[in-house]
Amino acid sequence: MTLSIDDLKEQLYKRFYVPERPDGHHSEWLTVDQVDQEISSSNESYSKKKSISTDLGQLARDGVLIQRKPSGKETLYQIKQEQSNLIEIRINSFEDFKHYLGLFRDTNNNKRLYFRGEPGEYDHRLPSIYRGGLNNLAKQSDRFYSDLAVRMGDLNFLREPRPTQLARFQHYQAPTRLLDISTNPLMALFFAVESSDQSDCQLFFYAIDANKVKYQTGHTAMMKASVNWIKQTTVNNFMLHVSKNTGKSNEDLLEENDVHLFMSRLNQLSNQIQLFDQPKEIYADLVNAQFIDFIRDTPRMQEQQGAFIMPAYYTGIDDNSKVGSFIDNSITEAVATEKGTSYKVFKISAKAKEDLRKYISILGINAGTAYPDIEYFSRYLRDFYK
């Protein structure tokens, strides 16, 4: 069995890829012999130079490589496409994970790094409130969260800021508009491979400028969390009105009914000393994504080194067929740079999951540490002593 052309492409990026070069390309010039020797050393099934030469030529025609034919000399190849333009980047071992993490760190050494693991191959990064046909719940999030708070029976909870309340709901697995991320890549890897089922999974790396990171106690997080407790028709009317009147000033917008009603309710719910009075800036925050660092005030948040993405806000009122793309695009744009986008997506094969789980467990990342609650820890110990 010989390696496919996609396997060859993956090996090229793994063994020769350089993130940045002065010429804008991503490797030195390579001969067929160099590639043959490197690939064949670990893949005996791909030891025919003729096959490699044919596939390198095809990759050049596909635009992945640059091909140069010096007169009277061997044909040379150079990697042209950035690694993120690959159809997929696969992690098949812990060594692969370390390799790609090192590359990502080296190319984003002045940025904040965040990570997310998903146990399946999902088309979009969807917060839980939009999954599984819960669109009606999103439309009524104001009543949903009010009912949950009443049921909790904790007056101290009601005194907490709205972002804290929303994070608590997420902790109790209630549907929210938050996306979990971690500052610990090993923890994200654990969440990706945690399940023992036979499905492939995904891992996401994000890098964002430090000055773009928001905080749980800040104005943006407070506003975006509080909007969940506003009647969603009011939110929707506000967003539509501002989007159709971009030429108007904040002062003029505040005089108009849809904007005034929303802003009054927002200020009432957020209970801030400094009132919200910039509808155009609020609209911009609602339609964009933010990476939010939260206070890690619970054992689970501390162990998971958790943070959240607050993606573009969707009320659930309009057609939801494009909500996945809408939210994905907002996250991608949040990590955009002049040179492209500072995020990577990795596919982890089902066959690699068990070995990865064992490896990171040795490093102290397992169900017992990720979920320090006694219920989850007892499950971990039960499996450990089997």
Side-chain angles (χ1 to χ4, degrees), residues 193-207:
V193 304
E194 176 185 9
S195 172
S196 58
D197 62 24
Q198 294 303 306
S199 59
D200 294 342
C201 52
Q202 295 183 113
L203 187 63
F204 300 83
F205 292 179
Y206 300 101

Side-chain angles (χ1 to χ4, degrees), residues 161-168 178 216 218 221-222 225-226 229 294 310:
R162 298 293 178 182
T164 306
Q165 292 184 30
L166 209 57
R168 293 270 193 270
L178 299 175
Q216 174 185 355
M222 182 65 71
S226 298
W229 275 264
F294 270 61
M310 284 184 164

Side-chain angles (χ1 to χ4, degrees), residues 350-368:
K351 296 178 180 178
K353 287 164 63 174
E354 184 177 0
D355 283 344
L356 286 167
R357 281 197 302 273
K358 290 178 179 178
Y359 206 113
I360 58 178
S361 183
I362 294 171
L363 298 175
I365 306 295
N366 50 56

Side-chain angles (χ1 to χ4, degrees), residues 243-256:
S243 68
K244 293 177 180 178
N245 293 276
T246 56
K248 292 186 177 181
S249 66
N250 281 323
E251 292 74 14
D252 289 340
L253 287 170
L254 287 169
E255 297 296 323
E256 298 176 358

Side-chain angles (χ1 to χ4, degrees), residues 20-25:
E20 293 186 16
R21 284 171 46 87
D23 61 7
H25 300 146

Side-chain angles (χ1 to χ4, degrees), residues 3-10 46 55-56 58-59 62:
L3 295 181
S4 69
I5 192 169
D6 285 335
D7 292 325
L8 173 61
K9 181 165 62 173
E10 180 182 350
Y46 207 114
D55 285 349
L56 288 175
Q58 182 60 52
L59 289 174
D62 291 343

Side-chain angles (χ1 to χ4, degrees), residues 17 19-22 24 26 80-85 106-111 209 212 332 335-344:
Y17 182 79
E20 293 186 16
R21 284 171 46 87
H26 300 285
K80 176 182 178 182
Q81 283 189 353
E82 188 180 354
Q83 195 168 48
S84 60
N85 291 330
D106 292 344
T107 54
N108 296 283
N109 56 4
N110 293 318
K111 296 186 177 184
D209 291 335
K212 291 183 178 180
T332 302
V335 291
T337 67
E338 292 180 357
K339 295 182 179 180
T341 305
S342 295
Y343 85 103
K344 302 291 181 188

